[in-house]
Amino acid sequence: MPMRQMKESSEQHFIIKPQLQNTMNSVQKSPKSAQNGKGPPSQEPQNQSSPQSRNRGRRRGRGGRKSDQAEAFMRPRSRPCTVMDGPVIAEMNQAIVSAIPNGSIGNGGSLCEGEMGFPSSTKSLSFAPRPGYGQLGTKCIVKANHFFAELPDKDLNQYDVTIIPEVVSRTVNRAIIAELVKLYKESELGMRLPAYDGRKSLYTAGELPFARKEFTIKLIDEEDGTNGPKRELEYKVVIKFVARANLHHLDQFLSGKRADGPQDALQILDIVLRELSMKRYCPVGRSFFCSDIRRPHHLGNGLEAWCGFYQSIRPTQMGLSLNIDMTAAAFIEALPVIEFVAQLLGKDVLSRPLSDADRIKVKKALRGVKVEVTHRENVRRKYRVSGITTQPTRELVFPVDDNSNMKSVVEYFQEMYGFTIQYTHLPCLQVGNQKKANYLPMEACKIVEGQRYTKRLSEKQITSLLKFTCQRPRDRENDILQTVQHNAYEQDSYAKEFGIKISENLASMEARVLPTPWLKYHETGKEKDCLPQVGQWNMMNKKMINGMTVSRWACINFSRSVQESVARGFCNELVQMCQVSGMEFNPEPVIPIYTARPELVEKALKQVYHACTNKLKAKELDLLLAILPDNNGSLYGDLKRICETDLGLISQCCLTKHVFKISKQYLSNVSLKINVKMGGRNTVLLDAIRCRIPLVSDIPTIIFGADVTHPENGEDSSPSVAAVVASQDWPEVTKYAGLVCAQAHRQELIQDLYKTWHDPIRGTVSGGMIRDLLVSFRKATGQKPQRIIFYRDGVSEGQFYQVLLFELDAIRKACASLEPNYQPPVTFIVVQKRHHTRLFANNHRDRSSTDKSGNILPGTVVDSKICHPTEFDFYLCSHAGIQGTSRPAHYHVLWDENNFTADGIQSLTNNLCYTYARCTRSVSVVPPAYYAHLAAFRARFYMEPDAQDNGCGKTVRPLPALKENVKRYGPFGGGGGGGGGCHNGVGLVVMAMGWG
């Protein structure tokens, strides 16, 4: 074959060892509340004796007196702040600091005056223990996709594996160990059947006859492309005993007698149960895919969707549990390369050469893809594509000897293989590296089956993939059961070897459907109170509780298919809906509807802005309506960036399809968004108005939400974006303001929660997202927060310790920077949606136990059996399903100084899900976390294109600041948020909550 460097990326993992113990948790009971009547609950205040008030004397200790400092933040209107006992704070800070190198966590500053130094701590961090089980709500039975796994009674041993020469491919490693087991199982291995992780570890049930032994293994190189006998490769394998897993420790952990789980034993059992599937299917992460599980679904552009299943062993209250779920992913179709290229480009490629743009598109799509040759009869050697040639095949020549004698690729394939290249106008594939690249004609190659597509999918492909994966609950449950039966774990030779038995039945458990909260609307509406039905309601006969005014507005139309008369009719309908819903809305725009081309978005927006400014003189435009094409590419993001960071305009975008359809429900939802963006509130919880929410209504409470969004796969340098939002009203807890900042690529810990820096004039200055939002709360409510509830989204279980240590420390420092000894109690809750637990109705035919989509009822909560053996977690399905199978949110309380009961945190979380500002439905994730996710996602639109180049460096390009009036109301509405300082190249942007 004609002849003509790859850089390996490394990833560093920062691990903080736990050094902290939660001493603030205790079991307590909360009074039950019934709510089955047709009217709202009675208005008599309930007697509340919160843990905060009950423990006030014990907590105050020696730090409880008010500060004499004259800082505006610290001027409460009502009760003085209660603080933790001094020794407790000191002990906790010691533990946090000792767990972090240099006593600082990357905020660029030293500890505040009065904070602890760097003593060591011998305590280990323990998450909040479960305070008991919830009792509130209507009891029911549900099933979960968890299968009981009987704990083995055999010793689990770990051995280190060294293969010489070192092999990078896990597939080759597995082939070497498989050959070793085949040759030596009955002799040297003492009849043991080991499980192998594909890297450095081998596991056995019982000891091997040796502590250390060397083996020589010979393998045939199946990818050897020579015409003669295939070459034989020789490897030296060294197996050495490392450790024995403690199953007694695991048993105690599962029974709740120990708080720390033995990760080594759980890892071994997980690998054992995956061993057979690794041989049968195509593994991707914790999932396995196969084109035979369900017929692949065509996605277009040479891609198809494969069905697969997710599998993971989990410790639960019922013992070990095997979590099985159906999943799907995009794979590259095993097509001849020419056919793949034709699908990718959407045109005939056999008769005309590729343009430069086409060639670049093909190169991006095929780079890294494995292909096999088809021109050599029985030889199917595989190669990985590194690029494609800039010249067509007919122009390619290469040296055949040291004398620089040249031969064309066309001649070479004809003489060497008797293969005539027909499509010489097409480029060749390049395989190998830059120093020694091989040329392969496209028509002589086929894509190897089973390669997952990891690049970005188009909107059309995403929609197609979602349709493929969308299954009604009954169908999903049946597929999961069929998968378990097909895997036949009872016949799995590895499961037998290790003594693991898997049930074939879904786990069944008791659940509760929490009471639906009453919502409060304006007194002038026909319906002043509302009790949602099955997670939804509407705005008929209701008026927003705080309807705002839009006096000056304009409309810009970027859709060529929408005539001015149609746009005007839509605007009239929207204005009427806003008025009916309780807003004051001027029916006439400042200027006539302006029609513009999408490619001239910046010019058009500035023309509208200046035209309105000239007409209004000193007054600002309240709102800009924008009509966009249904497929608008980057238009939406560009419009938001220009409006919010350049012109200072609050905008509301509407798609063309909605302009033509003019659905009342759509108009209602848009009016809700507009009102919130103007600073209004649509509804509030009736219990909040009447101060009846436990551990929220008694003292000023701020509720935070936080999330970090990372770049998509394939973006190796662009920064991650962190967002933190916080409630700005109390006791309503409905309005939120937020801050966003860019930080290092793939950094999950939020770096700017608290920070200090040196100012030439002011000296050491404190700032950061938490501090700014605390100050903002004080300005908005006139009171300082005396309790903090922090919902943290997007954290995997392996990051719990790191995130809690880092971010709780930042919260502590932010509070201490505002006033000495100011340490309001914190409850830190992780919210997880990317998990694979699904809940099913016990009887799918019982319509009273499901919603219209066949899913479990909104408000269904599970805190037993499939939950953690000792820690404080629960699954909550707070929303009604629309299509497919609902995914419950998993809430894990990592730290709880407010002493929430199970009923308290579960009902609070469920009730908050009815306060989401953008629709009249309960949502699947608690709104603060939802808003934080939206804020982080929106901030990506603010990034300049070249900011991606700075994600891996020591500094990150700051996000542009929002204009003042957008800060004041902004995309979320309500409250200003803090100052949004900028330091060390990381920008903070203030936002307020409600997108669109």
Side-chain angles (χ1 to χ4, degrees):
M1 186 165 51
M3 316 293 290
R4 196 182 74 69
Q5 185 167 351
M6 237 161 178
K7 196 188 258 185
E8 291 189 8
S9 64
S10 62
E11 187 174 339
Q12 294 182 343
H13 298 275
F14 175 52
I15 299 174
I16 302 176
K17 294 187 178 179
Q19 299 281 331
L20 183 61
Q21 184 162 3
N22 187 348
T23 60
M24 304 301 295
N25 292 295
S26 64
V27 179
Q28 65 173 117
K29 296 180 180 178
S30 65
K32 296 181 183 178
S33 64
Q35 180 214 336
N36 295 316
K38 295 188 178 181
S42 61
Q43 298 190 23
E44 288 79 11
Q46 296 178 352
N47 242 344
Q48 291 189 32
S49 178
S50 74
Q52 177 69 22
S53 58
R54 289 200 302 267
N55 297 333
R56 184 168 291 121
R58 174 177 63 83
R59 283 186 165 200
R60 182 174 291 141
R62 55 184 177 181
R65 65 182 182 85
K66 284 197 221 176
S67 168
D68 293 328
Q69 295 184 6
E71 186 167 350
F73 173 81
M74 312 313 296
R75 294 292 179 226
R77 289 181 183 171
S78 55
R79 313 180 195 178
C81 177
T82 58
V83 298
M84 292 169 53
D85 199 0
V88 174
I89 298 175
E91 179 180 331
M92 188 188 69
N93 283 343
Q94 281 184 358
I96 292 175
V97 171
S98 65
I100 300 160
N102 302 323
S104 177
I105 323 179
N107 60 15
S110 59
L111 296 174
C112 298
E113 183 179 353
E115 290 182 3
M116 302 305 299
F118 313 109
S120 61
S121 172
T122 57
K123 290 182 178 290
S124 63
L125 173 69
S126 62
F127 296 140
R130 189 178 301 280
Y133 295 95
Q135 302 297 322
L136 189 65
T138 305
K139 293 183 178 179
C140 62
I141 301 297
V142 297
K143 294 177 287 187
N145 56 339
H146 286 243
F147 299 84
F148 176 69
E150 189 174 318
L151 193 65
D153 57 358
K154 300 181 180 181
D155 291 333
L156 304 181
N157 297 274
Q158 179 181 355
Y159 292 83
D160 180 73
V161 176
T162 303
I163 298 176
I164 304 171
E166 186 178 355
V167 178
V168 176
S169 167
R170 286 195 184 192
T171 303
V172 176
N173 281 341
R174 290 184 181 280
I176 294 168
I177 298 301
E179 183 69 12
L180 187 151
V181 173
K182 177 182 174 183
L183 294 175
Y184 298 106
K185 178 186 175 184
E186 297 182 3
S187 55
E188 305 293 341
L189 299 182
M191 297 301 294
R192 301 289 185 202
L193 179 61
Y196 178 49
D197 70 353
R199 291 292 190 203
K200 293 285 292 180
S201 295
L202 192 77
Y203 305 101
T204 62
E207 293 182 351
L208 293 174
F210 54 83
R212 184 185 186 280
K213 197 171 187 65
E214 292 186 10
F215 299 86
T216 299
I217 302 298
K218 296 180 179 180
L219 281 185
I220 301 297
D221 184 5
E222 296 295 339
E223 295 191 2
D224 182 12
T226 59
N227 293 324
K230 295 184 182 297
R231 60 177 175 163
E232 193 174 60
L233 304 175
E234 184 174 296
Y235 300 94
K236 184 171 79 170
V237 181
V238 181
I239 298 177
K240 183 174 65 174
F241 177 78
V242 174
R244 182 176 294 108
N246 191 335
L247 287 182
H248 177 65
H249 182 175
L250 176 59
D251 187 48
Q252 285 189 311
F253 171 66
L254 293 172
S255 61
K257 296 175 183 176
R258 292 188 66 145
D260 56 321
Q263 294 303 316
D264 54 348
L266 292 170
Q267 182 182 3
I268 293 172
L269 297 174
D270 196 50
I271 289 170
V272 169
L273 289 173
R274 294 168 59 81
E275 187 71 22
L276 199 58
S277 294
M278 294 291 291
K279 295 178 170 63
R280 291 177 176 174
Y281 307 108
C282 174
V284 177
R286 288 191 171 274
S287 298
F288 299 95
F289 295 91
C290 180
S291 57
D292 297 332
I293 294 178
R294 200 198 304 175
R295 185 177 177 181
H297 175 71
H298 184 67
L299 297 177
N301 292 357
L303 303 181
E304 61 185 5
W306 280 19
C307 184
F309 66 93
Y310 168 93
Q311 172 181 303
S312 176
I313 196 86
R314 299 188 59 80
T316 65
Q317 293 172 30
M318 67 178 183
L320 282 180
S321 161
L322 189 66
N323 182 204
I324 301 283
D325 190 27
M326 305 312 295
T327 186
F331 282 75
I332 303 171
E333 284 193 66
L335 299 170
V337 169
I338 284 187
E339 189 176 335
F340 173 84
V341 171
Q343 284 196 26
L344 178 70
L345 301 178
K347 62 184 180 183
D348 174 34
V349 297
L350 300 181
S351 57
R352 62 182 67 180
L354 302 183
S355 66
D356 287 343
D358 288 342
R359 191 181 58 78
I360 292 171
K361 188 174 182 180
V362 172
K363 179 181 178 180
K364 286 182 177 179
L366 286 176
R367 183 184 290 156
V369 174
K370 191 177 283 188
V371 297
E372 60 182 5
V373 296
T374 59
H375 65 286
R376 298 179 56 187
E377 298 180 355
N378 296 327
V379 177
R380 307 284 282 191
R381 190 172 184 184
K382 298 179 177 65
Y383 300 90
R384 195 170 295 278
V385 178
S386 58
I388 65 173
T389 60
T390 55
Q391 299 168 285
T393 303
R394 58 173 170 250
E395 296 178 14
L396 291 173
V397 294
F398 62 96
V400 292
D401 53 35
D402 295 337
N403 297 323
S404 298
N405 291 315
M406 308 299 285
K407 185 183 289 283
S408 73
V409 170
V410 174
E411 291 174 342
Y412 176 85
F413 273 84
Q414 182 65 57
E415 295 172 7
M416 188 72 179
Y417 307 113
F419 181 80
T420 302
I421 301 175
Q422 299 181 39
Y423 308 109
T424 58
H425 62 283
L426 294 174
C428 275
L429 302 180
Q430 289 178 298
V431 297
N433 55 39
Q434 294 177 352
K435 293 181 180 178
K436 188 179 179 181
N438 299 332
Y439 296 140
L440 289 176
M442 286 187 176
E443 63 197 86
C445 299
K446 180 184 178 183
I447 293 172
V448 175
E449 187 182 46
Q451 298 181 78
R452 188 187 177 196
Y453 183 76
T454 58
K455 300 181 179 71
R456 184 176 183 177
L457 296 174
S458 67
E459 292 296 327
K460 187 176 180 181
Q461 289 170 330
I462 291 172
T463 301
S464 183
L465 180 61
L466 290 175
K467 285 182 179 178
F468 177 66
T469 58
C470 183
Q471 288 182 288
R472 293 180 65 85
R474 181 184 297 183
D475 298 332
R476 193 183 195 101
E477 180 184 332
N478 289 335
D479 279 1
I480 290 170
L481 288 169
Q482 288 176 13
T483 298
V484 172
Q485 292 167 6
H486 183 265
N487 288 348
Y489 294 104
E490 74 282 357
Q491 299 173 18
D492 184 336
S493 55
Y494 292 93
K496 283 183 178 179
E497 172 78 12
F498 284 79
I500 305 173
K501 298 179 181 177
I502 305 296
S503 169
E504 290 191 350
N505 300 315
L506 291 163
S508 181
M509 70 218 66
E510 185 179 89
R512 291 168 290 112
V513 181
L514 298 176
T516 302
W518 282 86
L519 302 177
K520 176 65 179 171
Y521 282 91
H522 199 274
E523 291 292 329
T524 58
K526 289 184 180 179
E527 294 185 22
K528 302 172 181 59
D529 306 305
C530 169
L531 182 65
Q533 301 297 316
V534 197
Q536 49 192 315
W537 63 103
N538 57 51
M539 287 295 293
M540 288 181 61
N541 301 322
K542 305 175 189 68
K543 290 188 182 294
M544 300 158 177
I545 193 164
N546 297 123
M548 301 305 287
T549 299
V550 177
S551 302
R552 302 171 294 276
W553 62 278
C555 177
I556 186 168
N557 176 18
F558 287 102
S559 178
R560 293 172 183 171
S561 59
V562 176
Q563 300 298 320
E564 184 177 351
S565 58
V566 175
R568 181 63 186 167
F570 173 78
C571 289
N572 289 339
E573 293 285 341
L574 180 57
V575 167
Q576 290 178 29
M577 178 60 73
C578 290
Q579 292 170 339
V580 168
S581 300
M583 295 182 67
E584 292 185 19
F585 207 117
N586 184 350
E588 293 299 323
V590 174
I591 61 172
I593 294 174
Y594 187 92
T595 302
R597 292 161 54 187
E599 59 270 23
L600 300 176
V601 55
E602 184 168 7
K603 180 181 178 182
L605 288 172
K606 288 183 176 179
Q607 285 180 340
V608 169
Y609 174 77
H610 291 305
C612 292
T613 302
N614 291 336
K615 190 166 184 179
L616 295 172
K617 297 182 179 178
K619 296 180 180 178
E620 295 178 341
L621 196 67
D622 293 328
L623 178 69
L624 176 68
L625 296 177
I627 298 173
L628 308 184
D630 293 331
N631 299 311
N632 54 71
S634 64
L635 176 60
Y636 175 84
D638 291 340
L639 183 146
K640 291 296 181 183
R641 175 177 50 80
I642 296 165
C643 285
E644 291 164 13
T645 66
D646 186 8
L647 302 178
L649 294 176
I650 296 171
S651 58
Q652 175 60 53
C653 296
C654 305
L655 294 178
T656 297
K657 60 183 179 183
H658 297 306
V659 171
F660 281 118
K661 189 176 180 181
I662 312 187
S663 154
K664 293 291 184 184
Q665 183 61 57
Y666 174 76
L667 293 175
S668 177
N669 286 347
V670 173
S671 69
L672 296 178
K673 292 182 183 181
I674 292 174
N675 187 55
V676 173
K677 291 177 182 184
M678 295 295 102
R681 279 183 296 208
N682 299 327
T683 185
V684 297
L685 295 170
L686 189 61
D687 279 350
I689 291 288
R690 295 177 178 173
C691 295
R692 301 194 308 190
I693 302 178
L695 293 182
V696 171
S697 299
D698 56 338
I699 57 175
T701 300
I702 186 169
I703 301 179
F704 283 92
D707 190 22
V708 178
T709 63
H710 301 293
E712 295 179 350
N713 289 334
E715 292 186 27
D716 298 328
S717 62
S718 56
S720 295
V721 176
V724 180
V725 308
S727 57
Q728 297 294 293
D729 55 350
W730 178 82
E732 296 91 347
V733 291
T734 303
K735 283 188 179 182
Y736 290 84
L739 292 163
V740 293
C741 71
Q743 60 186 39
H745 178 75
R746 293 281 166 189
Q747 171 62 261
E748 181 59 43
L749 305 178
I750 302 178
Q751 300 299 296
D752 272 7
L753 287 181
Y754 174 74
K755 59 184 181 178
T756 60
W757 65 96
H758 182 75
D759 183 270
I761 299 174
R762 295 182 294 168
T764 301
V765 181
S766 298
M769 305 165 95
I770 296 292
R771 191 182 195 278
D772 289 350
L773 289 168
L774 289 172
V775 172
S776 177
F777 180 94
R778 171 67 180 89
K779 290 178 179 177
T781 65
Q783 305 189 71
K784 64 183 179 184
Q786 297 183 34
R787 179 185 292 118
I788 293 175
I789 300 171
F790 196 95
Y791 287 99
R792 177 64 157 90
D793 195 7
V795 181
S796 64
E797 291 176 1
Q799 297 171 312
F800 279 4
Y801 286 102
Q802 277 180 275
V803 169
L804 178 61
L805 282 170
F806 186 103
E807 297 183 3
L808 184 61
D809 180 52
I811 294 170
R812 290 279 177 243
K813 289 177 179 177
C815 292
S817 72
L818 291 165
E819 177 184 286
N821 297 322
Y822 174 59
Q823 292 293 332
V826 178
T827 296
F828 194 103
I829 308 156
V830 167
V831 188
Q832 293 176 305
K833 282 289 283 184
R834 292 187 177 181
H835 61 81
H836 284 271
T837 292
R838 300 292 184 274
L839 301 176
F840 304 100
N842 189 49
N843 181 2
H844 291 285
R845 295 187 181 90
D846 181 8
R847 303 304 300 170
S848 65
S849 64
T850 62
D851 59 23
K852 292 180 181 178
S853 66
N855 282 287
I856 56 175
L857 294 171
T860 301
V861 63
V862 171
D863 61 2
S864 63
K865 206 157 183 181
I866 60 170
C867 293
H868 195 279
T870 60
E871 294 169 11
F872 192 1
D873 71 324
F874 59 93
Y875 291 93
L876 173 63
C877 184
S878 54
H879 66 298
I882 299 176
Q883 59 181 356
T885 304
S886 296
R887 187 200 313 251
H890 183 218
Y891 296 90
H892 204 126
V893 183
L894 299 187
W895 191 263
D896 183 21
E897 293 166 352
N898 291 297
N899 298 323
F900 272 100
T901 62
D903 280 332
I905 196 65
Q906 290 166 11
S907 60
L908 171 64
T909 302
N910 184 59
N911 291 351
L912 287 175
C913 290
Y914 286 80
T915 65
Y916 185 62
R918 305 202 316 168
C919 61
T920 52
R921 298 177 66 94
S922 58
V923 289
S924 61
V925 173
V926 68
Y930 203 151
Y931 290 143
H933 175 78
L934 292 174
F937 186 78
R938 165 65 64 83
R940 292 209 164 273
F941 293 137
Y942 301 154
M943 290 183 180
E944 298 177 20
D946 59 347
Q948 296 183 5
D949 298 333
N950 297 318
C952 292
K954 292 183 179 180
T955 61
V956 178
R957 183 186 294 269
L959 296 172
L962 295 185
K963 293 295 181 179
E964 284 303 317
N965 58 321
V966 179
K967 286 184 185 181
R968 190 165 60 250
Y969 303 119
F972 287 152
C982 179
H983 180 58
N984 283 345
V986 181
L988 294 176
V989 177
V990 182
M991 322 181 92
M993 311 300 133
W995 300 114

